[in-house]
Amino acid sequence: MLRGLVIVIMALDHVRDFFHAGALQDPTSDPNAGGALFFTRWITHFCAPVFVFLAGTSAGLMTARKPPAALGAFLLKRGLWILVVEWFVIATSSSFAPWGIAELQGLVLTPLQVLWSIGASMVVLAGAQFLGRTACLALGVAILAGHNLLDPIWPVPPQGVFDTSQPVWVALHAQMAIVVGPFFVAFVYPLLPWVGVMLFGFGCAGIFELAPGPRERRLLQWGAALAATFVILRASGAYGDPNPWMVQDRGPAATLVDFLSVTKNPPILLLVLMTLGPAAMLAAGWDHVPRPVRAVLVTYGRAPFAFYVAHFYLIHTLSIALGVAQGFAASQFLTFMVFYPKGYGLPLPLVYVVWLIVVAALYPLVRWVSAVKARRIDWWLSYL
């Protein structure tokens, strides 16, 4: 249910990217952003940390039925497969231009995003899981709690994700890009902290093996503790985010916006605390979610990979249709959305309408995929 919820919310972020007029501005970096726009972006911050954590948890639960050697082989193969899908399938959906785009001098844009973080982290976990869940938990906590110590000494590329001036190792902890043959590879998700999130999820798998009562109490307790730690650390400004909050002249609402505006990439400690804490408390109360809503979310959560791949192609196709309807040439949208023409887009309320259309349109697909996976045990289904 939780996985289904986060992929549905994730679709909102991507619809906003492709459809919202002025979407290039990140409202979480502007304390003067309107409340609705800020919330639209901020709520999607939960998606990647929760999804990567749950990917690690799923792998941790597999230790009950797979020996370490078999689990390691599975994680390695699945991680490499996800990387291939990210490089070729998702990258193509982001631009619809596998031959290259003019804005990057004809290079093929390959943005490495959440699938990159999951696939590469699985490759690391394929070896780390031999250490056991306790050791992986300790290592994950160490990475998440300590990687911000690198902030003062790790290079921060001045041009961000489009900066090609840095050595490739910088991508472990900062956004940057490299050119590999005809490919412009943009490291949107720096790898090291996401490895920490997956290791943390793997180490926490034991919580989900408990009986319902103890499991819910443990999730509620740990979720509250993580959320409280976020508030304390963020309020003190002592550690966890290189971008401190400040009291804003426009009043308490703007100050709250700034307080909640934490860095997403790399996923700082505060982001992990802010997202995984409430997610754990929500998982503890899943029995209280109305049954029809729970059933729908579980259906999405059983076929997240199919939804993820399909929703990018659907969103991009719909954005081309809107662009043509607004008087632009379809060819202007055969590129990455940050290069869409000025004047294109929809107001925020209509972005929500498009989001609901996208989510509803893909429900038959995820229902079919989840049904196939429920009644068949073919080995290849585990890669979908």
Side-chain angles (χ1 to χ4, degrees):
M1 185 200 71
L2 188 59
R3 188 162 54 194
L5 177 62
V6 297
I7 65 167
V8 167
I9 294 174
M10 170 205 67
L12 174 61
D13 194 35
H14 297 151
V15 169
R16 189 188 69 86
D17 285 339
F18 279 88
F19 282 88
H20 186 221
L24 301 189
Q25 173 194 0
D26 183 357
T28 62
S29 63
D30 182 5
N32 297 318
L37 179 58
F38 171 80
F39 176 80
T40 301
R41 173 57 175 158
W42 177 82
I43 192 66
T44 64
H45 279 9
F46 284 75
C47 300
V50 174
F51 204 84
V52 176
F53 174 87
L54 292 178
T57 301
S58 297
L61 292 173
M62 290 181 188
T63 59
R65 62 181 187 272
K66 289 181 181 287
L71 179 58
F74 170 75
L75 291 173
L76 177 61
K77 289 183 289 186
R78 193 166 197 273
L80 293 175
W81 164 242
I82 290 174
L83 291 176
V84 169
V85 172
E86 177 80 302
W87 189 286
F88 295 103
V89 180
I90 300 301
T92 299
S93 74
S94 68
S95 66
F96 279 9
W99 53 82
I101 59 177
E103 293 85 356
L104 295 176
Q105 292 74 51
L107 295 173
V108 179
L109 178 62
T110 307
L112 299 183
Q113 304 180 81
V114 68
L115 286 192
W116 144 257
S117 67
I118 293 174
S121 296
M122 277 189 180
V123 172
V124 174
L125 182 59
Q129 55 91 25
F130 284 96
L131 302 173
R133 292 199 306 209
T134 301
C136 286
L137 176 62
L139 183 57
V141 170
I143 293 174
L144 293 175
H147 78 87
N148 286 117
L149 295 173
L150 299 172
D151 293 340
I153 60 174
W154 203 276
V156 178
Q159 299 180 52
V161 74
F162 289 102
D163 196 317
T164 59
S165 65
Q166 306 295 324
V168 69
W169 58 265
V170 171
L172 289 173
H173 197 250
Q175 293 181 327
M176 58 159 289
I178 60 172
V179 175
V180 182
F183 299 99
F184 185 95
V185 183
F187 292 92
V188 183
Y189 279 53
L191 182 58
L192 177 63
W194 293 109
V195 171
V197 175
M198 182 165 288
L199 291 171
F200 184 51
F202 184 84
C204 290
I207 295 176
F208 296 89
E209 295 172 334
L210 298 174
R215 180 185 64 225
E216 292 178 6
R217 287 193 297 272
R218 189 72 61 84
L219 286 170
L220 189 60
Q221 292 166 354
W222 278 106
L226 293 178
T229 303
F230 161 74
V231 173
I232 294 170
L233 281 179
R234 184 60 168 160
S236 69
Y239 181 72
D241 194 337
N243 177 34
W245 68 282
M246 296 183 294
V247 175
Q248 301 295 315
D249 294 336
R250 292 188 61 187
T255 299
L256 178 62
V257 165
D258 198 34
F259 187 87
L260 295 175
S261 299
V262 299
T263 304
K264 180 181 178 181
N265 272 305
I268 58 165
L269 173 62
L270 291 181
L271 177 78
V272 174
L273 295 172
M274 182 183 73
T275 55
L276 294 189
M281 291 188 283
L282 180 61
W286 75 278
D287 275 330
H288 303 292
V289 176
R291 186 178 297 273
V293 176
R294 189 166 69 233
V296 170
L297 292 177
V298 167
T299 300
Y300 283 105
R302 285 175 174 163
F305 190 76
F307 180 92
Y308 187 85
V309 173
H311 95 291
F312 268 118
Y313 281 89
L314 178 57
I315 290 171
H316 199 153
T317 300
L318 292 175
S319 73
I320 294 175
L322 175 64
V324 172
Q326 291 185 338
F328 298 97
S331 59
Q332 293 179 271
F333 298 85
L334 301 182
T335 185
F336 198 48
M337 69 276 193
V338 301
F339 302 120
Y340 274 11
K342 293 183 178 180
Y344 160 83
L346 295 173
L348 189 61
L350 291 181
V351 169
Y352 274 82
V353 173
V354 176
W355 169 58
L356 293 175
I357 291 172
V358 168
V359 172
L362 292 177
Y363 185 73
L365 171 66
V366 297
R367 184 175 57 184
W368 176 77
V369 172
S370 63
V372 170
K373 295 175 76 172
R375 68 175 181 263
R376 298 179 60 172
I377 57 173
D378 305 61
W379 64 268
W380 54 270
L381 288 173
S382 61
Y383 291 85
L384 298 179

